[in-house]
Amino acid sequence: MEIPLAFYQSLRLEDNKSRSRDTSHSNPNVFTFPRFSGYDFSLRRRRWKNPFAKITCSSLVHGLKPKPKLKPDPIREIEQGSKDPVLDDTQISKSSVAICSQIEKLVLCNRLREAFELFEVLQIRGSVRVGISTYDALVEACIRLKSIRCVKMVHGYMQSNGFEPEQYMMNRILMMHVKCGMIIDARRLFDEMPERNLFSYNSIISGFVNFGNYLEAFQLFKMMWEELSDSETHTFAVMLRASAGLGFIEVGKQLHVCALKLGVVDNTFVSCGLIDMYSKCGDVEDARCVFDDMPEKTTVAWNNIISGYALHGYSEEALCLLYDMRDSGTSLDQFTLSILIRISTRLAKVELTKQAHARLIRSGFESEIVANTALVDFYSKWGRVDTARYVFDKLPRKNIISWNALMGGYANHGRGADAVNLFEKMLAAKVAPNHVTFLAVLLACAYSGLSERGWEIFLSMSEVHGIKPRAMHYACMIEILGRDGLLDEAIAFIRRAPLKPTVNMWAALLNACRMHGNLELGRVVAEKLYGMEPEKLGNYVVMYNVYNSMGKTAEAAGVLDTLESKGLRMMPACTWVEVGDQTHSFLSGDKCDSYNAAVKRQIYHKVDELMKEISEYGYSVAEEKNLLSDVDVNEEQGVVRYHSEKLAIAYGLVNTPEWNPLQITQNHRICKECHKVVEFISLITGREIVVRDASRFHHFKEGKCSCGGYW
């Protein structure tokens, strides 16, 4: 019989159980499901319009429970009262077999240090025979720990106890030495092996490739080919890495032919290795051919071809490939996003980088070090150093590249005190600095006028950290001396340097001569630079500016004649401003023909309006005669009022919200006249303006620049 649900609501649980038991056994028409939501469903002929309107209660006496999960045998914890777990009496008294079994269990549970503590017990007890399974567990523990001490301990115990491994264990021992960085010992073991197979060769070849010894890897590959006359896909993938490392495209092509003959070229690992090899050797076309012939394109393949295009300057093509990858449905990983950020850094695509940043967070990669370090680098290079610091602080793990990227950002933005504080914080975190670190912090001191702190850090390079200063570090110190006006000391410092003066060192001194108007020394330094870099335009233009600012028109004309005789032509000054996701470029004296008449009138009207306002604040153009550093000298007459910086700033002010900082980018060093104008514009508009010129960043805020008037 079927009983309505309302009947059970008035019963106690005990009554419910007993009645359901009786009903289920007495009525053959009721099928009992084993504990399905606590109810039984009737299978009588009559069908209910709503099958849940009337139900029968299931018997709750089955007491079924989930199948218990298998657990490893418990590992006995050492009592708290035991002072020395290694020499504990209960541990010493164990049989050798029990200790070996305990070691294997500890390794299985990833308690590797405890496993080696027990292994030391075996060593203390003397010549104890250890089974192959225990040795295999100890080898695995050494590989995971990457401990040279543990490797020597295990291998020494094997030798002292006369253990004669078979080929499987010999290969494992060989891999243990390779994985732990003992490549010389690994090669000795390899040479002593009575029998070698593909696994043996693959282990030792991979070890040499990982250590950058590519020639030795090729010798071993040749030996393997002569001895075994065979290879596998993993071997080809590793050897293609070696070819890319050496830059030997001909060898890579031979490997490509071998892979074709053996029929392994369609293997994903081999194809990705070929794309990587051709890309790094400069043959992007062949890399694209391999990529196009792949039957199935993986994320790694897309990453390799995109990074190949980006590596050789084809940023636009790389960006198009990224869009193709997205449209194909292939998943983007953290490496894809890091490549996208690097492309955006080169193309100055701020909005695109923001999208990549958002994708990183949505994909759960906000703690991934490679992509987020690329983010720190991008934000540092494109005027958003505070955002770079935010991303840096969120990283749970930081490598030396992360520290250097942020420190370099502080340097370029004229925030020397922040760079020095970050340098000290890095030292406190026990991160060893390298030559890039010192370049960044010394550049920060030079740009911010921190002379005393700069000299302290420079002297600590060799005295404290054991790093020999390079020419670029000496150039930073010349910049510091030049900023302080110590030009005689700078020339003496160059002569005392334990290396041959480089272009950067002389260029730093020439820039100091330009800023301080030292004509005689500037002429000497310029002659040095003309001899070292006769085709570089910047050196001639800097000297032209020195002559022009001091009224030496004849000498300035001589510089122009020299340029003409050498067939050199200066590129027109160009400035970019990004509004939304569009980049707008302007030339000095630009007629803005790419815009309609209304926009052109708006731009020029805004420039005229700004110049009128700053004139009321005391600005005067008559006092300034300097030319832009890397532009055509004919621009000096008639277009000073409409230099590219002013046009870009006017367009940005009209088309961006007033609360947003305005950022422009130039292909030249900003001239003194425009520098002064932008200072006044930041004062009267209240806008923060960031200018990235050919040398550094200039942050204009409330009428002041981060460079302090020296650039």
Side-chain angles (χ1 to χ4, degrees), residues 416-430:
D418 291 329
V420 172
N421 290 336
L422 187 67
F423 175 72
E424 293 172 349
K425 184 178 179 180
M426 186 186 78
L427 296 181
K430 307 298 182 184

Side-chain angles (χ1 to χ4, degrees), residues 375-385 388 405-406 408-409 413 697:
L375 269 179
V376 172
D377 182 59
F378 174 86
Y379 286 128
S380 297
K381 288 179 177 176
W382 290 104
R384 289 162 172 78
V385 71
L406 183 58
H413 288 271
F697 280 91

Side-chain angles (χ1 to χ4, degrees), residues 141-258:
C142 289
I143 293 173
R144 293 187 200 171
L145 288 172
K146 289 185 168 48
S147 170
I148 294 177
R149 174 182 172 273
C150 293
V151 172
K152 290 182 177 180
M153 190 163 56
V154 171
H155 194 222
Y157 190 84
M158 290 178 178
Q159 292 176 323
S160 62
N161 282 271
F163 176 65
E164 297 180 359
E166 297 180 354
Q167 188 174 39
Y168 166 77
M169 274 307 298
M170 281 297 299
N171 286 335
R172 292 281 290 164
I173 295 167
L174 177 66
M175 178 185 284
M176 174 180 69
H177 283 78
V178 170
K179 294 285 186 181
C180 294
M182 304 172 66
I183 194 68
I184 297 176
D185 293 331
R187 180 59 196 263
R188 179 179 51 79
L189 283 171
F190 177 81
D191 292 337
E192 293 174 355
M193 289 178 70
E195 185 179 356
R196 296 184 284 257
N197 58 12
L198 278 175
F199 188 90
S200 314
Y201 275 102
N202 286 338
S203 296
I204 192 67
I205 290 173
S206 298
F208 277 108
V209 171
N210 291 335
F211 273 84
N213 195 338
Y214 305 121
L215 292 176
E216 188 72 20
F218 272 108
Q219 291 177 359
L220 286 165
F221 178 74
K222 182 181 177 182
M223 186 190 305
M224 179 192 72
W225 200 264
E226 293 173 350
E227 182 176 334
L228 302 178
S229 299
D230 194 10
S231 183
E232 59 181 17
T233 57
H234 174 76
T235 316
F236 278 108
V238 172
M239 294 313 301
L240 287 168
R241 281 176 52 205
S243 300
L246 289 172
F248 288 172
I249 192 170
E250 294 302 325
V251 177
K253 288 182 177 180
Q254 293 178 30
L255 290 169
H256 192 176
V257 172
C258 291

Side-chain angles (χ1 to χ4, degrees), residues 379-387 408-416 418 447 661-664 666 670 675 678-679 682-683 687-693 696-711:
Y379 286 128
S380 297
K381 288 179 177 176
W382 290 104
R384 289 162 172 78
V385 71
D386 290 328
T387 308
Y410 279 137
N412 287 325
H413 288 271
R415 295 171 58 170
D418 291 329
Y447 283 173
L662 184 64
Q663 180 167 337
I664 66 172
Q666 301 176 263
I670 187 171
H675 192 276
V678 181
E679 284 181 338
S682 69
L683 178 64
R687 295 283 292 271
E688 181 181 351
I689 302 175
V690 181
V691 178
R692 184 188 183 186
D693 70 359
R696 57 177 299 175
F697 280 91
H698 300 263
H699 282 256
F700 297 92
K701 189 174 183 180
E702 298 177 353
K704 296 181 180 179
C705 180
S706 59
C707 71
Y710 187 94
W711 72 97

Side-chain angles (χ1 to χ4, degrees), residues 534-672:
E535 304 299 324
K536 186 172 181 180
L537 294 171
N539 300 327
Y540 297 96
V541 176
V542 170
M543 203 60 214
Y544 172 85
N545 282 334
V546 173
Y547 288 133
N548 192 50
S549 63
M550 300 183 68
K552 303 287 186 179
T553 55
E555 288 83 351
V559 174
L560 297 180
D561 292 339
T562 304
L563 284 175
E564 187 176 353
S565 65
K566 290 181 175 293
L568 299 177
R569 188 179 66 86
M570 285 178 268
M571 298 298 293
C574 185
T575 303
W576 298 268
V577 61
E578 186 172 352
V579 176
D581 59 351
Q582 297 293 322
T583 301
H584 302 267
S585 61
F586 299 89
L587 301 175
S588 291
D590 200 345
K591 300 301 182 182
C592 300
D593 292 331
S594 58
Y595 301 95
N596 58 47
V599 174
K600 285 196 288 186
R601 284 196 303 270
Q602 189 181 42
I603 294 172
Y604 278 90
H605 176 71
K606 187 64 176 178
V607 173
D608 294 337
E609 180 183 311
L610 290 171
M611 297 301 292
K612 181 179 179 180
E613 287 187 45
I614 66 176
S615 297
E616 295 174 358
Y617 276 77
Y619 168 75
S620 175
V621 72
E623 63 183 83
E624 195 55 66
K625 296 182 180 178
N626 271 55
L627 178 70
L628 291 168
S629 65
D630 297 317
V631 299
D632 193 344
V633 294
N634 294 325
E635 292 177 0
E636 188 173 19
Q637 297 178 351
V639 296
V640 174
R641 186 177 185 86
Y642 300 111
H643 271 175
S644 59
E645 298 95 320
K646 298 170 188 173
L647 295 174
I649 289 174
Y651 185 84
L653 290 174
V654 170
N655 293 282
T656 58
E658 61 182 12
W659 58 83
N660 273 3
L662 184 64
Q663 180 167 337
I664 66 172
T665 308
Q666 301 176 263
N667 67 345
H668 56 275
R669 181 178 292 173
I670 187 171
C671 69
K672 286 187 177 181

